[in-house]
Amino acid sequence: IINIDKYEQLLSKKMIQTIKNIYYAQVQHNDLKFSIFEYKIEDKKDNPIFECHYRHIDCQIMIEGSEYMYYANSSSKKVKSDINYKDDYQLFESNEYSKLLFQKVDFIVFFPEEIHSPKHYFNLGNIKRVVIKEEI
């Protein structure tokens, strides 16, 4: 989060300010969509289902805990579902992917068509993650 201003060439000022506001519990009502996810990582089972978006930038902030976020190359994907136009996502499978350690105060940005999969085991514990979507 302390490095968020370095992304001002890629993200709108509105997105950067919202990330700051959410992280510091000063959420302002605006036209960005955001959700807070809370869950517990309990085991090492891993059968990743990937998603991507076509009309939204997807920014995620880890508030509590640690998990792996997987990122797949689009050339290795296998389509698992049709595009859900209403909610702007499509699901995929892939055997080739990178693991990114996603921990407290980290944020990650996925641009349209970047294939990703959250909620993978790093260690046992509670997770609290904020997802902000901005339509482009």
Side-chain angles (χ1 to χ4, degrees):
I1 295 297
I2 63 172
N3 294 317
I4 190 70
D5 292 322
K6 293 179 180 179
Y7 290 84
E8 66 186 26
Q9 296 294 325
L10 299 173
L11 303 174
S12 69
K13 289 181 189 230
K14 181 170 55 173
M15 173 76 99
I16 289 172
Q17 189 59 51
T18 300
I19 291 167
K20 289 177 182 179
N21 289 344
I22 289 172
Y23 186 75
Y24 295 108
Q26 299 171 7
V27 177
Q28 304 292 319
H29 294 285
N30 57 43
D31 59 347
L32 295 176
K33 298 175 188 175
F34 69 92
S35 304
I36 298 173
F37 295 94
E38 295 185 67
Y39 49 93
K40 185 171 187 125
I41 300 285
E42 296 182 351
D43 59 41
K44 296 182 181 181
K45 290 182 183 175
D46 213 8
N47 189 9
I49 300 297
F50 293 85
E51 66 179 21
C52 80
H53 310 286
Y54 295 97
R55 297 185 330 267
H56 289 89
I57 294 173
D58 186 353
C59 179
Q60 304 196 21
I61 305 166
M62 184 62 76
I63 303 298
E64 178 183 338
S66 299
E67 68 182 20
Y68 280 118
M69 179 79 68
Y70 293 174
Y71 179 84
N73 186 310
S74 61
S75 64
S76 66
K77 70 184 180 188
K78 179 181 175 189
V79 174
K80 187 165 175 65
S81 75
D82 291 334
I83 299 172
N84 179 320
Y85 290 100
K86 179 180 179 251
D87 295 323
D88 186 37
Y89 73 88
Q90 186 172 21
L91 301 178
F92 302 92
E93 293 177 338
S94 179
N95 292 326
E96 297 177 28
Y97 52 86
S98 298
K99 288 183 178 183
L100 307 169
L101 180 57
F102 193 44
Q103 35 192 356
K104 186 175 181 177
V105 305
D106 285 347
F107 75 96
I108 191 165
V109 177
F110 295 104
F111 289 93
E113 299 188 40
E114 291 187 320
I115 302 166
H116 57 284
S117 179
K119 300 184 180 181
H120 297 284
Y121 180 87
F122 173 70
N123 59 20
L124 297 176
N126 295 319
I127 303 294
K128 186 173 185 180
R129 183 168 49 91
V130 175
V131 177
I132 308 165
K133 295 183 187 270
E134 182 173 30
E135 190 165 0
I136 56 169

